[in-house]
Amino acid sequence: MRHIRLLAATGTAVAALALTACGSGTGTEDEGASRPSGTAGSAASKTPEGASTTPEAAEGTGGRAATGTPAARTHAPGTRPSATPAHSGGTRAGGSVVLCNGANTTVTAQPLSRPLNHMLITVKNTGGKTCELPYYPVLRFDQMQWVPQADESTRPQAVVSLAPGESGYAGVLLSAADGSGTGGTTGRKLTVAFQGMTPNSSGGASATPSLPAKGVYYDSALKVTYWRQDLDAISNW
């Protein structure tokens, strides 16, 4: 199991996205049905050593996903397409792009027994149009003030695109198996924020998938994979 290196430089911008989405987006309830989520409180959990605590203004705007037929993908996550990048509900050359978010998907979070200390996030497109899942999920447990970073080795070749009824996946490493993580605590609420086509911009409504009644234990080793179309791609991560 690889240890996380929290990257403060990118964490600041993504932190603003997580905090903003938690306060203004809609979420999911129980089996993933979308509903408006309440404004997050101001209390902060203990920040693990090395994590970012100074949110900056994220690019883009939250809100509705645009309608229309998505343009063909010609870029990989993490790189800007040659045309003007689309933010939440934005457009790019050749047509509009619909972003997957809490308004047009159901989201579940399932702790796994194997691999140890892992959780699987599943996003199912419940809308009538193909939607895209850029980059990786931005996770926030309770009032957490730092942002788990993504494992770059899991970056896909192209943006994950989900037709109606299809699902995308992301893995979560919750804690270090060897006990080297710090600041361990139990999360009772999880907010999943979505990114837009520009890194660290808002992808629209967030989601709040239900967690087990006992909560989920995590520490400073917390990190995520990029969104993937194929579950097998992260099954042994």
Short mmCIF file of all heavy atoms in Angstrom, two decimals, residues 24-96:
data_model
loop_
_atom_site.label_atom_id
_atom_site.label_comp_id
_atom_site.label_asym_id
_atom_site.label_seq_id
_atom_site.Cartn_x
_atom_site.Cartn_y
_atom_site.Cartn_z
N SER A 24 -23.35 24.51 -1.59
CA SER A 24 -24.32 24.99 -2.56
C SER A 24 -24.89 23.91 -3.45
O SER A 24 -25.88 24.12 -4.13
CB SER A 24 -23.67 26.05 -3.45
OG SER A 24 -22.60 25.48 -4.18
N GLY A 25 -24.31 22.73 -3.48
CA GLY A 25 -24.79 21.70 -4.41
C GLY A 25 -25.89 20.88 -3.81
O GLY A 25 -26.25 20.97 -2.65
N THR A 26 -26.46 20.01 -4.65
CA THR A 26 -27.42 19.04 -4.17
C THR A 26 -26.73 17.74 -4.01
O THR A 26 -25.69 17.48 -4.57
CB THR A 26 -28.58 18.88 -5.18
OG1 THR A 26 -28.04 18.47 -6.42
CG2 THR A 26 -29.34 20.17 -5.33
N GLY A 27 -27.29 16.86 -3.19
CA GLY A 27 -26.63 15.60 -2.90
C GLY A 27 -27.51 14.42 -3.15
O GLY A 27 -28.53 14.50 -3.80
N THR A 28 -27.12 13.27 -2.59
CA THR A 28 -27.91 12.07 -2.71
C THR A 28 -28.28 11.57 -1.34
O THR A 28 -27.62 11.85 -0.35
CB THR A 28 -27.13 10.98 -3.45
OG1 THR A 28 -25.90 10.77 -2.72
CG2 THR A 28 -26.82 11.38 -4.87
N GLU A 29 -29.32 10.81 -1.26
CA GLU A 29 -29.82 10.33 0.01
C GLU A 29 -30.11 8.85 -0.09
O GLU A 29 -30.70 8.38 -1.06
CB GLU A 29 -31.08 11.10 0.38
CG GLU A 29 -31.68 10.67 1.73
CD GLU A 29 -32.91 11.50 2.06
OE1 GLU A 29 -33.43 12.15 1.15
OE2 GLU A 29 -33.31 11.49 3.23
N ASP A 30 -29.69 8.11 0.91
CA ASP A 30 -29.90 6.68 0.97
C ASP A 30 -29.36 5.99 -0.26
O ASP A 30 -28.17 5.87 -0.43
CB ASP A 30 -31.40 6.37 1.18
CG ASP A 30 -31.89 6.90 2.51
OD1 ASP A 30 -31.08 6.94 3.46
OD2 ASP A 30 -33.06 7.29 2.59
N GLU A 31 -30.22 5.53 -1.20
CA GLU A 31 -29.80 4.79 -2.36
C GLU A 31 -29.28 5.70 -3.47
O GLU A 31 -29.17 5.30 -4.61
CB GLU A 31 -30.97 3.96 -2.89
CG GLU A 31 -31.40 2.87 -1.93
CD GLU A 31 -30.29 1.89 -1.62
OE1 GLU A 31 -29.48 1.62 -2.52
OE2 GLU A 31 -30.22 1.40 -0.49
N GLY A 32 -29.00 6.94 -3.14
CA GLY A 32 -28.39 7.81 -4.14
C GLY A 32 -29.35 8.81 -4.74
O GLY A 32 -28.99 9.52 -5.66
N ALA A 33 -30.61 8.90 -4.30
CA ALA A 33 -31.54 9.86 -4.88
C ALA A 33 -31.05 11.26 -4.58
O ALA A 33 -30.68 11.58 -3.46
CB ALA A 33 -32.94 9.66 -4.28
N SER A 34 -31.03 12.13 -5.58
CA SER A 34 -30.50 13.47 -5.41
C SER A 34 -31.43 14.33 -4.59
O SER A 34 -32.65 14.25 -4.68
CB SER A 34 -30.27 14.12 -6.78
OG SER A 34 -29.31 13.41 -7.51
N ARG A 35 -30.85 15.18 -3.75
CA ARG A 35 -31.63 16.15 -2.99
C ARG A 35 -30.70 17.30 -2.67
O ARG A 35 -29.48 17.15 -2.66
CB ARG A 35 -32.17 15.55 -1.69
CG ARG A 35 -31.05 15.12 -0.72
CD ARG A 35 -31.62 14.71 0.61
NE ARG A 35 -30.58 14.25 1.52
CZ ARG A 35 -29.78 15.02 2.20
NH1 ARG A 35 -29.88 16.33 2.10
NH2 ARG A 35 -28.85 14.53 3.01
N PRO A 36 -31.25 18.49 -2.38
CA PRO A 36 -30.38 19.61 -2.02
C PRO A 36 -29.66 19.31 -0.72
O PRO A 36 -30.26 18.79 0.21
CB PRO A 36 -31.36 20.79 -1.89
CG PRO A 36 -32.55 20.38 -2.69
CD PRO A 36 -32.63 18.89 -2.52
N SER A 37 -28.39 19.63 -0.65
CA SER A 37 -27.64 19.43 0.57
C SER A 37 -27.55 20.74 1.32
O SER A 37 -27.51 21.82 0.74
CB SER A 37 -26.24 18.90 0.25
OG SER A 37 -25.54 19.81 -0.55
N GLY A 38 -27.50 20.65 2.67
CA GLY A 38 -27.48 21.84 3.47
C GLY A 38 -26.13 22.51 3.48
O GLY A 38 -25.13 21.98 3.03
N THR A 39 -26.10 23.71 4.04
CA THR A 39 -24.86 24.46 4.14
C THR A 39 -23.98 23.83 5.19
O THR A 39 -24.40 23.52 6.28
CB THR A 39 -25.16 25.92 4.53
OG1 THR A 39 -26.01 26.48 3.53
CG2 THR A 39 -23.86 26.71 4.64
N ALA A 40 -22.71 23.62 4.83
CA ALA A 40 -21.79 22.97 5.75
C ALA A 40 -21.51 23.90 6.91
O ALA A 40 -21.48 25.12 6.79
CB ALA A 40 -20.50 22.62 5.03
N GLY A 41 -21.24 23.30 8.08
CA GLY A 41 -20.91 24.07 9.25
C GLY A 41 -19.50 24.61 9.16
O GLY A 41 -18.75 24.28 8.27
N SER A 42 -19.11 25.38 10.15
CA SER A 42 -17.80 26.02 10.10
C SER A 42 -16.75 25.29 10.91
O SER A 42 -15.57 25.60 10.84
CB SER A 42 -17.92 27.47 10.61
OG SER A 42 -18.42 27.47 11.92
N ALA A 43 -17.16 24.30 11.72
CA ALA A 43 -16.20 23.60 12.55
C ALA A 43 -15.26 22.79 11.70
O ALA A 43 -15.65 22.15 10.76
CB ALA A 43 -16.93 22.69 13.53
N ALA A 44 -13.97 22.78 12.04
CA ALA A 44 -12.97 22.06 11.25
C ALA A 44 -12.40 20.92 12.06
O ALA A 44 -12.18 21.03 13.25
CB ALA A 44 -11.84 23.00 10.83
N SER A 45 -12.16 19.78 11.40
CA SER A 45 -11.52 18.66 12.05
C SER A 45 -10.02 18.91 12.08
O SER A 45 -9.50 19.78 11.40
CB SER A 45 -11.83 17.36 11.31
OG SER A 45 -11.37 17.46 9.98
N LYS A 46 -9.32 18.12 12.85
CA LYS A 46 -7.87 18.27 12.95
C LYS A 46 -7.21 18.08 11.61
O LYS A 46 -7.48 17.13 10.91
CB LYS A 46 -7.33 17.25 13.96
CG LYS A 46 -5.83 17.38 14.18
CD LYS A 46 -5.37 16.39 15.23
CE LYS A 46 -3.86 16.50 15.45
NZ LYS A 46 -3.39 15.54 16.44
N THR A 47 -6.34 19.00 11.25
CA THR A 47 -5.69 18.94 9.94
C THR A 47 -4.43 18.11 10.02
O THR A 47 -3.55 18.40 10.82
CB THR A 47 -5.32 20.35 9.47
OG1 THR A 47 -6.51 21.15 9.43
CG2 THR A 47 -4.70 20.31 8.08
N PRO A 48 -4.31 17.05 9.19
CA PRO A 48 -3.09 16.25 9.19
C PRO A 48 -1.89 17.10 8.80
O PRO A 48 -1.99 18.06 8.07
CB PRO A 48 -3.37 15.18 8.12
CG PRO A 48 -4.85 15.12 8.04
CD PRO A 48 -5.31 16.52 8.31
N GLU A 49 -0.73 16.69 9.30
CA GLU A 49 0.50 17.41 9.02
C GLU A 49 0.77 17.50 7.54
O GLU A 49 0.67 16.52 6.82
CB GLU A 49 1.67 16.70 9.71
CG GLU A 49 3.01 17.40 9.54
CD GLU A 49 4.11 16.69 10.26
OE1 GLU A 49 3.80 15.69 10.94
OE2 GLU A 49 5.27 17.11 10.16
N GLY A 50 1.05 18.68 7.05
CA GLY A 50 1.40 18.86 5.64
C GLY A 50 0.22 19.15 4.75
O GLY A 50 0.37 19.43 3.58
N ALA A 51 -1.02 19.10 5.29
CA ALA A 51 -2.20 19.33 4.45
C ALA A 51 -2.46 20.81 4.31
O ALA A 51 -2.11 21.61 5.17
CB ALA A 51 -3.42 18.64 5.06
N SER A 52 -3.14 21.20 3.26
CA SER A 52 -3.45 22.60 3.00
C SER A 52 -4.65 23.03 3.81
O SER A 52 -5.61 22.30 3.97
CB SER A 52 -3.74 22.78 1.51
OG SER A 52 -4.23 24.06 1.27
N THR A 53 -4.62 24.25 4.35
CA THR A 53 -5.74 24.77 5.12
C THR A 53 -6.18 26.14 4.65
O THR A 53 -6.98 26.79 5.29
CB THR A 53 -5.37 24.86 6.62
OG1 THR A 53 -4.23 25.72 6.76
CG2 THR A 53 -5.05 23.49 7.18
N THR A 54 -5.65 26.60 3.52
CA THR A 54 -5.99 27.94 3.04
C THR A 54 -6.67 27.87 1.70
O THR A 54 -6.03 27.88 0.67
CB THR A 54 -4.72 28.81 2.90
OG1 THR A 54 -3.98 28.74 4.12
CG2 THR A 54 -5.10 30.25 2.61
N PRO A 55 -8.01 27.72 1.68
CA PRO A 55 -8.70 27.62 0.39
C PRO A 55 -8.53 28.89 -0.41
O PRO A 55 -8.50 29.99 0.12
CB PRO A 55 -10.18 27.43 0.80
CG PRO A 55 -10.12 26.96 2.22
CD PRO A 55 -8.91 27.62 2.82
N GLU A 56 -8.41 28.76 -1.73
CA GLU A 56 -8.37 29.89 -2.64
C GLU A 56 -9.59 29.82 -3.54
O GLU A 56 -10.26 28.81 -3.63
CB GLU A 56 -7.09 29.85 -3.48
CG GLU A 56 -5.84 30.01 -2.63
CD GLU A 56 -4.59 29.85 -3.48
OE1 GLU A 56 -4.73 29.52 -4.67
OE2 GLU A 56 -3.50 30.06 -2.94
N ALA A 57 -9.87 30.90 -4.24
CA ALA A 57 -11.03 30.93 -5.13
C ALA A 57 -10.80 29.95 -6.26
O ALA A 57 -9.82 30.03 -6.97
CB ALA A 57 -11.24 32.33 -5.69
N ALA A 58 -11.74 28.98 -6.42
CA ALA A 58 -11.62 28.02 -7.52
C ALA A 58 -12.14 28.63 -8.80
O ALA A 58 -12.99 29.51 -8.80
CB ALA A 58 -12.43 26.76 -7.20
N GLU A 59 -11.64 28.13 -9.94
CA GLU A 59 -12.10 28.62 -11.22
C GLU A 59 -13.49 28.09 -11.51
O GLU A 59 -13.91 27.08 -11.01
CB GLU A 59 -11.16 28.14 -12.34
CG GLU A 59 -9.73 28.62 -12.16
CD GLU A 59 -8.85 28.08 -13.27
OE1 GLU A 59 -9.38 27.83 -14.37
OE2 GLU A 59 -7.65 27.92 -13.05
N GLY A 60 -14.20 28.78 -12.41
CA GLY A 60 -15.48 28.27 -12.89
C GLY A 60 -16.60 28.64 -11.94
O GLY A 60 -16.42 29.26 -10.90
N THR A 61 -17.79 28.19 -12.30
CA THR A 61 -18.96 28.44 -11.50
C THR A 61 -19.72 27.16 -11.33
O THR A 61 -19.69 26.27 -12.15
CB THR A 61 -19.90 29.47 -12.17
OG1 THR A 61 -20.24 28.98 -13.47
CG2 THR A 61 -19.19 30.82 -12.32
N GLY A 62 -20.44 27.04 -10.19
CA GLY A 62 -21.27 25.87 -9.97
C GLY A 62 -22.60 26.06 -10.65
O GLY A 62 -22.88 27.06 -11.28
N GLY A 63 -23.48 25.06 -10.50
CA GLY A 63 -24.82 25.21 -11.03
C GLY A 63 -25.22 24.10 -11.94
O GLY A 63 -24.83 22.97 -11.79
N ARG A 64 -26.01 24.42 -12.95
CA ARG A 64 -26.59 23.41 -13.81
C ARG A 64 -25.60 22.87 -14.82
O ARG A 64 -24.73 23.54 -15.29
CB ARG A 64 -27.76 24.01 -14.56
CG ARG A 64 -28.81 24.65 -13.65
CD ARG A 64 -29.85 25.32 -14.51
NE ARG A 64 -30.79 26.05 -13.69
CZ ARG A 64 -31.71 26.83 -14.18
NH1 ARG A 64 -31.82 27.00 -15.48
NH2 ARG A 64 -32.54 27.47 -13.38
N ALA A 65 -25.85 21.61 -15.17
CA ALA A 65 -25.08 21.04 -16.27
C ALA A 65 -25.77 21.44 -17.57
O ALA A 65 -26.99 21.52 -17.65
CB ALA A 65 -25.05 19.52 -16.15
N ALA A 66 -24.97 21.71 -18.61
CA ALA A 66 -25.55 22.14 -19.87
C ALA A 66 -26.17 20.96 -20.60
O ALA A 66 -25.83 19.82 -20.36
CB ALA A 66 -24.47 22.76 -20.74
N THR A 67 -27.12 21.26 -21.48
CA THR A 67 -27.72 20.22 -22.28
C THR A 67 -27.13 20.26 -23.67
O THR A 67 -26.54 21.23 -24.09
CB THR A 67 -29.25 20.42 -22.38
OG1 THR A 67 -29.50 21.71 -22.95
CG2 THR A 67 -29.88 20.32 -21.00
N GLY A 68 -27.30 19.16 -24.41
CA GLY A 68 -26.77 19.11 -25.76
C GLY A 68 -25.95 17.87 -25.96
O GLY A 68 -25.74 17.09 -25.05
N THR A 69 -25.46 17.66 -27.17
CA THR A 69 -24.67 16.48 -27.48
C THR A 69 -23.21 16.75 -27.21
O THR A 69 -22.64 17.69 -27.73
CB THR A 69 -24.84 16.12 -28.96
OG1 THR A 69 -26.22 15.93 -29.22
CG2 THR A 69 -24.06 14.85 -29.30
N PRO A 70 -22.54 15.92 -26.36
CA PRO A 70 -21.14 16.16 -26.05
C PRO A 70 -20.27 16.06 -27.30
O PRO A 70 -20.51 15.23 -28.17
CB PRO A 70 -20.80 15.03 -25.06
CG PRO A 70 -22.13 14.59 -24.53
CD PRO A 70 -23.10 14.81 -25.64
N ALA A 71 -19.27 16.91 -27.38
CA ALA A 71 -18.33 16.86 -28.50
C ALA A 71 -17.40 15.67 -28.32
O ALA A 71 -17.23 15.17 -27.23
CB ALA A 71 -17.52 18.15 -28.56
N ALA A 72 -16.79 15.23 -29.40
CA ALA A 72 -15.86 14.10 -29.33
C ALA A 72 -14.67 14.48 -28.45
O ALA A 72 -14.20 15.61 -28.47
CB ALA A 72 -15.37 13.75 -30.73
N ARG A 73 -14.19 13.51 -27.67
CA ARG A 73 -13.08 13.78 -26.78
C ARG A 73 -11.77 13.74 -27.54
O ARG A 73 -11.47 12.79 -28.23
CB ARG A 73 -13.04 12.75 -25.64
CG ARG A 73 -14.26 12.75 -24.75
CD ARG A 73 -13.98 11.97 -23.48
NE ARG A 73 -13.52 10.61 -23.77
CZ ARG A 73 -14.35 9.60 -23.98
NH1 ARG A 73 -15.64 9.80 -23.93
NH2 ARG A 73 -13.88 8.40 -24.21
N THR A 74 -10.97 14.79 -27.40
CA THR A 74 -9.67 14.83 -28.06
C THR A 74 -8.56 15.16 -27.09
O THR A 74 -7.44 15.43 -27.49
CB THR A 74 -9.67 15.88 -29.18
OG1 THR A 74 -9.99 17.17 -28.59
CG2 THR A 74 -10.68 15.55 -30.25
N HIS A 75 -8.89 15.15 -25.77
CA HIS A 75 -7.91 15.52 -24.79
C HIS A 75 -7.95 14.56 -23.62
O HIS A 75 -8.94 13.89 -23.40
CB HIS A 75 -8.16 16.95 -24.29
CG HIS A 75 -9.49 17.09 -23.62
ND1 HIS A 75 -10.68 17.16 -24.32
CD2 HIS A 75 -9.83 17.14 -22.31
CE1 HIS A 75 -11.68 17.27 -23.48
NE2 HIS A 75 -11.19 17.26 -22.27
N ALA A 76 -6.87 14.50 -22.91
CA ALA A 76 -6.79 13.65 -21.72
C ALA A 76 -6.99 14.50 -20.48
O ALA A 76 -6.73 15.70 -20.51
CB ALA A 76 -5.42 12.97 -21.65
N PRO A 77 -7.49 13.91 -19.36
CA PRO A 77 -7.65 14.68 -18.13
C PRO A 77 -6.32 15.28 -17.72
O PRO A 77 -5.27 14.68 -17.86
CB PRO A 77 -8.11 13.61 -17.13
CG PRO A 77 -8.72 12.55 -17.97
CD PRO A 77 -7.91 12.54 -19.23
N GLY A 78 -6.40 16.50 -17.17
CA GLY A 78 -5.19 17.17 -16.71
C GLY A 78 -4.57 18.06 -17.76
O GLY A 78 -3.61 18.77 -17.47
N THR A 79 -5.08 18.04 -19.01
CA THR A 79 -4.57 18.91 -20.06
C THR A 79 -5.70 19.73 -20.62
O THR A 79 -6.83 19.27 -20.70
CB THR A 79 -3.94 18.09 -21.21
OG1 THR A 79 -4.94 17.25 -21.78
CG2 THR A 79 -2.80 17.23 -20.70
N ARG A 80 -5.43 20.94 -21.03
CA ARG A 80 -6.46 21.80 -21.58
C ARG A 80 -6.64 21.53 -23.05
O ARG A 80 -5.66 21.48 -23.80
CB ARG A 80 -6.09 23.27 -21.37
CG ARG A 80 -6.07 23.69 -19.91
CD ARG A 80 -5.76 25.15 -19.79
NE ARG A 80 -5.76 25.56 -18.40
CZ ARG A 80 -6.44 26.59 -17.95
NH1 ARG A 80 -7.19 27.30 -18.74
NH2 ARG A 80 -6.38 26.92 -16.67
N PRO A 81 -7.87 21.36 -23.53
CA PRO A 81 -8.08 21.20 -24.95
C PRO A 81 -7.73 22.50 -25.67
O PRO A 81 -7.68 23.56 -25.07
CB PRO A 81 -9.58 20.90 -25.06
CG PRO A 81 -10.17 21.39 -23.79
CD PRO A 81 -9.10 21.28 -22.75
N SER A 82 -7.51 22.42 -26.99
CA SER A 82 -7.10 23.59 -27.74
C SER A 82 -8.19 24.65 -27.78
O SER A 82 -7.93 25.84 -27.83
CB SER A 82 -6.73 23.20 -29.18
OG SER A 82 -7.82 22.53 -29.80
N ALA A 83 -9.44 24.21 -27.74
CA ALA A 83 -10.54 25.17 -27.69
C ALA A 83 -10.70 25.68 -26.26
O ALA A 83 -10.09 25.17 -25.34
CB ALA A 83 -11.83 24.49 -28.15
N THR A 84 -11.54 26.69 -26.09
CA THR A 84 -11.77 27.23 -24.76
C THR A 84 -12.35 26.17 -23.86
O THR A 84 -13.37 25.56 -24.18
CB THR A 84 -12.77 28.42 -24.83
OG1 THR A 84 -12.23 29.40 -25.70
CG2 THR A 84 -13.01 29.00 -23.45
N PRO A 85 -11.72 25.87 -22.69
CA PRO A 85 -12.22 24.82 -21.81
C PRO A 85 -13.60 25.17 -21.31
O PRO A 85 -13.93 26.32 -21.09
CB PRO A 85 -11.19 24.81 -20.66
CG PRO A 85 -9.99 25.54 -21.20
CD PRO A 85 -10.54 26.53 -22.18
N ALA A 86 -14.40 24.13 -21.09
CA ALA A 86 -15.75 24.35 -20.56
C ALA A 86 -15.72 24.27 -19.06
O ALA A 86 -15.11 23.39 -18.48
CB ALA A 86 -16.69 23.29 -21.12
N HIS A 87 -16.40 25.19 -18.41
CA HIS A 87 -16.61 25.12 -16.98
C HIS A 87 -17.97 24.46 -16.77
O HIS A 87 -18.55 23.90 -17.68
CB HIS A 87 -16.58 26.52 -16.36
CG HIS A 87 -15.23 27.17 -16.48
ND1 HIS A 87 -14.28 27.09 -15.49
CD2 HIS A 87 -14.68 27.88 -17.49
CE1 HIS A 87 -13.20 27.74 -15.86
NE2 HIS A 87 -13.42 28.23 -17.07
N SER A 88 -18.48 24.52 -15.53
CA SER A 88 -19.77 23.90 -15.26
C SER A 88 -20.83 24.48 -16.18
O SER A 88 -21.07 25.67 -16.21
CB SER A 88 -20.15 24.16 -13.79
OG SER A 88 -21.45 23.72 -13.54
N GLY A 89 -21.48 23.58 -16.95
CA GLY A 89 -22.53 24.03 -17.84
C GLY A 89 -22.01 24.80 -19.02
O GLY A 89 -22.77 25.42 -19.74
N GLY A 90 -20.69 24.78 -19.27
CA GLY A 90 -20.12 25.56 -20.35
C GLY A 90 -20.14 24.81 -21.67
O GLY A 90 -20.68 23.73 -21.80
N THR A 91 -19.54 25.43 -22.67
CA THR A 91 -19.46 24.81 -23.99
C THR A 91 -18.03 24.82 -24.47
O THR A 91 -17.20 25.57 -23.99
CB THR A 91 -20.33 25.58 -25.00
OG1 THR A 91 -19.85 26.92 -25.11
CG2 THR A 91 -21.78 25.57 -24.60
N ARG A 92 -17.75 23.95 -25.43
CA ARG A 92 -16.48 23.98 -26.11
C ARG A 92 -16.72 23.82 -27.59
O ARG A 92 -17.84 23.54 -28.01
CB ARG A 92 -15.54 22.90 -25.57
CG ARG A 92 -16.13 21.52 -25.52
CD ARG A 92 -15.09 20.57 -24.97
NE ARG A 92 -15.73 19.41 -24.37
CZ ARG A 92 -15.16 18.23 -24.31
NH1 ARG A 92 -13.97 18.03 -24.82
NH2 ARG A 92 -15.77 17.22 -23.73
N ALA A 93 -15.70 23.94 -28.40
CA ALA A 93 -15.85 23.92 -29.84
C ALA A 93 -16.56 22.65 -30.29
O ALA A 93 -16.22 21.57 -29.87
CB ALA A 93 -14.48 24.02 -30.50
N GLY A 94 -17.55 22.80 -31.14
CA GLY A 94 -18.24 21.65 -31.69
C GLY A 94 -19.53 21.30 -30.98
O GLY A 94 -20.26 20.43 -31.41
N GLY A 95 -19.85 21.98 -29.87
CA GLY A 95 -21.09 21.67 -29.18
C GLY A 95 -20.95 21.86 -27.68
O GLY A 95 -19.96 22.36 -27.19
N SER A 96 -21.97 21.43 -26.94
CA SER A 96 -21.97 21.59 -25.49
C SER A 96 -21.53 20.30 -24.83
O SER A 96 -21.58 19.23 -25.41
CB SER A 96 -23.37 21.98 -25.01
OG SER A 96 -24.30 20.97 -25.33
#
